[in-house]
Amino acid sequence: MSIVGTRVVRVEDGTLITAGGTYVEDLREEALAGAAHAVFVRSPLAHARITGIDTSAALAAPGVLAVFTASDVDLPAQPAGPVPQPWLADGVVRYVGEPVALVLTERRYQLADAAELVDVDYDPLPAVASIEAALAGETVVHAELDGNVAQANGLAPDGFDDNAFDGCEVVVEQTIVNQRVAPAPLEARGSACAWTAEGRLTCWLSTQNPQIARMSVAAALGIGEDEVRIVAPDVGGGFGAKIGADPEAVLLAWASRAAGRPVRWAETRSENLTAMTHGRAQRNTVTIGGRRDGTVEVVRLDVVQDAGAYPRALFLPTLTELMAPGVYRFPRVETGSRGVVTTTTPVAAYRGAGRPEATAAIERGMDLFAAEIGMDPAEVRRVNFIRPDQFPYRTPTGATYDSGEYAAALDKVLAAAGYDELRAEQAARRSAGEVIALGLGIAAYVEITGGDAGGESGRIDIHRDGSVTAYTGSSPHGQGLATSLAMLLSDQLGVPMDRITVRHGDTDEVPRGIGTFGSRSLQLGGSAVRQAADEVLARAAGLAAELVEAAPDDIELDRENGQWRVRGAPAGPAITWARLAEHAGDDALSAGVWFSEGTPTFPFGAHLAVVEVDTQTGKVELRRLVALDDAGPVVNPLAFEGQRHGGLGQGSAQALLEVMSYDEDGNPTTATLADYSFISATELPDFELVDMETPTTRNPLGVKGIGEAATIGSTPAVHNAVVDALSHLGVRHLDMPTTPLRVWQALARARKES
């Protein structure tokens, strides 16, 4: 019996649960002995000229080793974006939390006092704290940009066809705020750097991509990649915000070289909430036109991305445009996007990165369209789903979906939830005038995984004792990838899991790799490891044939016990992996590959959320969340469900609670966990998971990514449920998060307008 598809406890968890992980802050490396400690002096203002920096008092303070400002840093400009961020603010600060100076001290306890002694004089400038303020253009954030617009794609804003909706029986339009959120990983950012006497740098970094981080650090420092080693120890979450190396990490490496000693840095929670990149932050206007029988004929999506002060990820609105058609066979889709700069923290990838924003807009739009024509939202979706016989399906925006069963997914979820009964209960409550309203929210989604087409590395070594070491360029940070890869290899090689070690996260051990983002690890990293094992198996068959003096075609691997035998001769001589490796000699049973399938996969699913809303107080409670997330064949249901649970919680959090907000002066108003409503188990129900597996043909495992999928479906499902609960009271729409105050205000407006 194959171990693949069975519930295996994650090999990572024993240490994490008993001894705890080893994160950057926990490192006790010999190379870091005597390390200086670092703190960044950050801007307290959203927009201001720097008129002077006096570091003398700080430099005179006990334990202060160095204070660096922009004039000290001799690194080349950062390569990313149309307006690269200076390593340290140079003349102007453009968001609260922007680094202005870097202080090194002997002891960690000296950091806060030393930072306070760096005297920075500011001349305040008007803030640009919202998309609306950026588009108004009254204050320019960067003189290089025209009207604060950093990028314009597609048809927006003036290229849309004025006649696109002519002939439609019904047209609905809604502007939807997909609010800014903070990634808030359990482990905030951290880095530690040390140089050898020969001039080689080792950097321990909380990152999702050691190899990409190595490239960034080496390029900035002007040294070869072979002179840099990046090590990612245990990483306490990333959600896309730890891709590569942040500017702070590069500057730490530079400062370590300048100071001539190792340097350590670990940011505080408040620093993390204001200075780590944020996610989402889009304003989307969706317009849907169609017939009263439910057929949608035209969809338009106008995207405005708040890129923050320094654009780092202008691909986000492009991905939103690409995925605008969702799971539907819309005959015509118009999209356009603009990325604008504001005096706020830069925005970058965050769990789903552009795809959740598309789903949120289209799924709200479908509900609005259904309400306008008086049709059940489930039925409107059925009318417009892409049919199974249409795959591979090329959308009007240029994506080619691989496989899907969208209608079947929704029907399974509705059946599992008891949709008809829930609707009957809702009608009864409304008829009775109950204060606690019931709301049902549907979302059907498709997302893109492994979309970067960058490939991944994999290597397998069979050792003389018969054990196996696998090396992967993927760099997991909580996903349980080591367990999944060990399961795949155990199944393929017939070696017990406890004889298989998976190595990752060290560029000296794994020189080539891309890392983890975009839910790419299993489909690319897993396929690479499988391909490497295939090469080893082919070589092993020949070696085993030599030992038993048989033809290679007559040799087979008995995967039940990991022994090679002559086919059809179970009582004949058996060759173990250990004997084979001994016979083969050094490196003969090793293989390294670079796997690249070239095209992404498209997981999909359907979610139904059930909420109760107190129409007197506005309080929302998520009662049920029934979810189907189809990512193809499942290697380990336990890890798969864990990924879904995390996604469902994080997606629900955006719909219900989370928002990173600023006042009109650009001051963050949710900069601590006392203000930023981080969701917990208290606010979440037991998730009801429905299974379905539709394989892809785009990799040998048939798998798609699952890391982000549940996040994408759950946000609009919960959002739609809250609006549905209030619809009979005249509420047509309210933006996320659906806090009690917002619900109460929406109800008050509806009563006033009725």
Side-chain angles (χ1 to χ4, degrees):
M1 177 182 173
S2 172
I3 193 173
V4 173
T6 64
R7 302 176 72 85
V8 175
V9 174
R10 303 188 334 164
V11 298
E12 298 91 337
D13 290 344
T15 301
L16 290 173
I17 292 171
T18 56
T22 302
Y23 303 94
V24 169
E25 182 70 349
D26 303 319
L27 292 169
R28 297 296 179 266
E29 298 286 338
E30 185 178 347
L32 294 173
H37 296 267
V39 64
F40 289 91
V41 177
R42 298 183 180 275
S43 171
L45 299 177
H47 198 195
R49 287 190 188 86
I50 298 174
T51 56
I53 303 178
D54 184 353
T55 62
S56 57
L59 285 168
V64 174
L65 301 170
V67 180
F68 300 110
T69 64
S71 61
D72 300 311
V73 180
D74 56 0
L75 296 173
Q78 294 190 50
V83 278
Q85 180 172 353
W87 299 102
L88 292 171
D90 189 8
V92 177
V93 291
R94 294 183 172 86
Y95 65 95
V96 172
E98 182 171 355
V100 177
L102 173 61
V103 180
L104 304 185
T105 64
E106 287 280 3
R107 306 293 181 198
R108 185 172 181 178
Y109 70 83
Q110 296 165 328
L111 290 173
D113 289 341
E116 285 191 4
L117 292 173
V118 177
D119 187 10
V120 185
D121 289 330
Y122 296 101
D123 181 12
L125 296 168
V128 181
S130 66
I131 286 174
E132 289 71 27
L135 291 174
E138 294 179 2
T139 298
V140 175
V141 180
H142 297 279
E144 303 94 313
L145 299 180
D146 182 14
N148 294 322
V149 176
Q151 173 182 277
N153 291 328
L155 300 173
D158 302 320
F160 290 123
D161 182 357
D162 292 337
N163 303 313
F165 294 91
D166 289 354
C168 292
E169 295 175 0
V170 176
V171 178
V172 296
E173 183 172 284
Q174 182 65 51
T175 295
I176 300 165
V177 176
N178 202 302
Q179 81 272 25
R180 177 186 287 251
V181 294
L186 289 178
E187 182 202 17
R189 294 178 298 169
S191 178
C193 306
W195 294 79
T196 66
E198 294 73 30
R200 191 166 193 259
L201 169 69
T202 297
C203 182
W204 293 265
L205 181 63
S206 186
T207 179
Q208 301 174 214
N209 318 80
Q211 292 80 14
I212 291 177
R214 178 187 56 187
M215 178 179 63
S216 301
V217 171
L221 297 178
I223 59 178
E225 290 190 27
D226 61 342
E227 297 175 276
V228 178
R229 176 190 180 197
I230 302 290
V231 180
D234 287 322
V235 175
F239 309 118
K242 289 182 180 173
I243 292 176
D246 274 356
E248 285 94 337
V250 176
L251 201 58
L252 262 289
W254 172 87
S256 175
R257 184 171 64 181
R261 61 190 295 177
V263 174
R264 308 184 69 132
W265 169 64
E267 69 179 353
T268 66
R269 178 56 63 183
S270 292
E271 189 178 19
N272 177 264
L273 285 167
T274 54
M276 188 184 213
T277 55
H278 294 159
R280 306 290 189 259
Q282 284 189 3
R283 188 189 75 181
N284 298 321
T285 301
V286 59
T287 311
I288 295 181
R291 302 198 297 262
R292 291 197 173 276
D293 67 359
T295 304
V296 173
E297 297 171 305
V298 188
V299 168
R300 175 182 294 164
L301 184 61
D302 183 2
V303 181
V304 185
Q305 173 74 59
D306 180 352
Y310 299 96
R312 296 190 194 177
L314 288 172
F315 63 89
L316 294 173
T318 304
L319 276 174
T320 305
E321 290 185 76
L322 178 69
M323 299 308 293
V327 291
Y328 307 107
R329 58 177 193 279
F330 301 140
R332 182 175 180 180
V333 179
E334 287 189 341
T335 68
S337 68
R338 288 162 286 172
V340 300
V341 291
T342 57
T343 55
T344 60
T345 299
V347 172
Y350 170 72
R351 204 165 189 172
R355 295 100 82 193
E357 295 88 326
T359 302
I362 292 302
E363 291 304 287
R364 271 302 298 135
M366 292 299 277
D367 263 24
L368 288 162
F369 184 73
E372 189 67 25
I373 64 175
M375 183 178 284
D376 189 282
E379 189 56 31
V380 167
R381 287 169 170 82
R382 288 192 188 99
V383 169
N384 293 283
F385 277 141
I386 298 166
R387 300 188 306 270
D389 63 359
Q390 292 181 292
F391 290 95
Y393 181 84
R394 185 169 176 80
T395 72
T397 54
T400 302
Y401 299 166
D402 49 358
S403 58
E405 291 268 5
Y406 303 153
L410 178 60
D411 287 344
K412 285 170 76 83
V413 165
L414 298 185
Y419 184 68
D420 292 341
E421 293 79 3
L422 288 167
R423 282 294 182 201
E425 181 184 349
Q426 181 185 59
R429 289 197 192 192
R430 290 178 176 181
S431 179
E434 291 191 15
V435 170
I436 305 299
L438 189 69
L440 312 180
I442 294 171
Y445 73 90
V446 58
E447 77 130 331
I448 180 171
T449 60
D452 60 289
E456 193 51 274
S457 67
R459 195 177 103 216
I460 300 295
D461 293 341
I462 308 286
H463 305 293
R464 295 189 182 207
D465 64 355
S467 64
V468 179
T469 301
Y471 298 87
T472 176
S474 297
S475 189
H477 39 282
Q479 297 92 334
L481 183 66
T483 304
S484 297
L485 296 185
M487 290 174 68
L488 289 171
L489 289 173
S490 179
D491 179 64
Q492 199 174 359
L493 302 175
V495 176
M497 279 187 64
D498 60 5
R499 302 278 289 160
I500 299 172
T501 302
V502 177
R503 304 286 299 174
H504 56 80
D506 184 333
T507 57
D508 275 6
E509 286 190 338
V510 188
R512 295 186 70 202
I514 299 294
T516 298
F517 58 86
S519 304
R520 68 195 305 280
S521 294
L522 188 60
Q523 65 188 72
L524 295 175
S527 295
V529 167
R530 179 190 175 101
Q531 195 174 74
D534 281 341
E535 291 190 13
V536 168
L537 283 167
R539 214 170 298 159
L543 293 167
E546 290 176 11
L547 287 173
V548 298
E549 298 180 346
D553 289 345
D554 292 335
I555 294 294
E556 66 178 0
L557 175 63
D558 179 355
R559 290 183 169 80
E560 289 296 320
N561 52 31
Q563 295 180 334
W564 293 85
R565 297 178 183 276
V566 176
R567 197 184 312 276
I575 310 298
T576 64
W577 278 107
R579 184 180 174 195
L580 208 57
E582 182 69 29
H583 171 70
D586 292 342
D587 300 329
L589 285 181
S590 297
V593 305
W594 183 264
F595 175 82
S596 177
E597 57 193 274
T599 53
T601 62
F602 293 85
F604 63 93
H607 292 183
L608 174 75
V610 181
V611 302
E612 288 186 331
V613 182
D614 187 324
T615 57
Q616 292 182 334
T617 66
K619 182 181 180 183
V620 177
E621 292 198 23
L622 178 59
R623 291 299 191 190
R624 297 177 64 190
L625 189 50
V626 186
L628 184 152
D629 303 289
D630 188 333
V634 176
V635 174
N636 183 348
L638 201 60
F640 187 75
E641 290 169 8
Q643 292 279 286
R644 296 170 72 187
H645 279 214
L648 293 169
Q650 203 159 9
S652 301
Q654 186 184 2
L656 294 171
L657 301 169
E658 293 192 21
V659 59
M660 194 69 210
S661 59
Y662 291 84
D663 66 18
E664 61 183 12
D665 293 322
N667 298 306
T669 58
T670 50
T672 73
L673 288 184
D675 305 301
Y676 189 83
S677 299
F678 200 80
I679 203 162
S680 68
T682 305
E683 293 84 26
L684 295 170
D686 287 335
F687 301 126
E688 300 170 53
L689 305 183
V690 182
D691 296 326
M692 195 163 97
E693 299 180 11
T694 305
T696 182
T697 60
R698 294 180 177 177
N699 63 68
L701 300 174
V703 300
K704 309 179 185 184
I706 188 59
E708 298 155 301
T711 317
I712 295 172
S714 55
T715 302
V718 176
H719 188 195
N720 281 341
V722 175
V723 178
D724 180 65
L726 307 174
S727 60
H728 66 297
L729 300 174
V731 175
R732 179 177 179 271
H733 177 78
L734 76 160
D735 279 320
M736 302 183 292
T738 54
T739 60
L741 177 60
R742 286 192 172 180
V743 170
W744 189 88
Q745 289 174 330
L747 286 168
R749 282 194 301 272
R751 291 191 193 102
K752 188 175 180 180
E753 292 169 359
S754 64

